[in-house]
Amino acid sequence: MRKIIFMMSVSLDGYFEGPNREIDWHLVDDELHRHLNEQLRDMGAFLSGRITHELMADYWPTADADPANSGPVAEFAAIWREMPKIVFSRTLERADWNTTVAREVVVEEIAALKARPGGDLVLGGADLAASFLRHDLVDEYRVYVHPVLIGRGRSPFPDADTRTALRLEESRAFGNGVVLLRYGRQVRG
């Protein structure tokens, strides 16, 4: 069974973006980008909301054509282009770049998607992740904590009335000060 993996970069004070949607504080150097490419290249699909998908589609399809982009940036452009993508949107009519549009998160459809053969499914975008979290569909969390306090912004985790027990599966510090915290769900008994 494939897993749904929620990957997110956050500031030390727990925000994924500033109050004006800024993410210019993300510290993605070559080491971290190579790591992300290694993690993502074997995934089965990218799951994202419309805003995240459109931001990605505005840049990554041709990023490797720019001579200024080389190494891991150019490598990720190819990974993104070739990866199957499912964008969840009630308004988007169509999407290019190996993308399927889904109207909403339907638990039974996500279970069927997880049961298909292939790599794990990476979930991106806080609004979509909130829906997956409400339906208890996230199997693993990969949180990249950046060494910066931004003071205000949006949390990737919505307020909830439930508690989810997790177990630490990996932690890793990168040379730029970013720390990966990888958690899996506790076995339900």
Side-chain angles (χ1 to χ4, degrees), residues 12 38 63 98 114 164:
L12 182 60
E38 289 168 13
N98 201 14
K114 288 175 64 174
T164 303

Side-chain angles (χ1 to χ4, degrees), residues 86-107:
I86 301 172
V87 59
F88 291 80
S89 173
R90 291 183 187 98
T91 59
L92 193 64
E93 292 300 319
R94 62 184 265 328
D96 295 322
W97 307 107
N98 201 14
T99 303
T100 301
V101 177
R103 292 292 165 217
E104 54 189 87
V105 176
V106 177
V107 173

Side-chain angles (χ1 to χ4, degrees), residues 7-8 13 17 27 46 50 53 62-63 104 113 118 125 132 137 139 154 183:
M7 293 181 73
M8 181 64 65
D13 48 355
E17 67 181 12
L27 299 172
F46 293 147
R50 181 189 55 80
H53 177 76
T62 59
E104 54 189 87
L113 183 62
F132 272 70
L137 294 170
D139 301 299
R154 288 183 60 204
Y183 291 94

Side-chain angles (χ1 to χ4, degrees), residues 24-73:
D24 57 342
W25 48 269
H26 285 195
L27 299 172
V28 182
D29 61 6
D30 281 352
E31 177 194 19
L32 181 56
H33 215 301
R34 278 192 299 275
H35 162 81
L36 293 169
N37 289 353
E38 289 168 13
Q39 299 297 303
L40 296 170
R41 88 168 35 90
D42 295 326
M43 293 291 175
F46 293 147
L47 311 176
S48 63
R50 181 189 55 80
I51 292 170
T52 299
H53 177 76
E54 287 178 342
L55 288 170
M56 299 295 281
D58 281 346
Y59 181 75
W60 289 108
T62 59
D64 53 350
D66 183 342
N69 293 332
S70 62
V73 172

Side-chain angles (χ1 to χ4, degrees), residues 5-6 9 15 20 23 33 35 52 64 82-83 92 125 141 164 176:
I5 300 171
F6 180 30
S9 287
Y15 302 111
N20 298 309
I23 60 169
H33 215 301
H35 162 81
T52 299
D64 53 350
E82 299 304 317
M83 183 68 62
L92 193 64
Y141 300 81
T164 303
N176 63 4

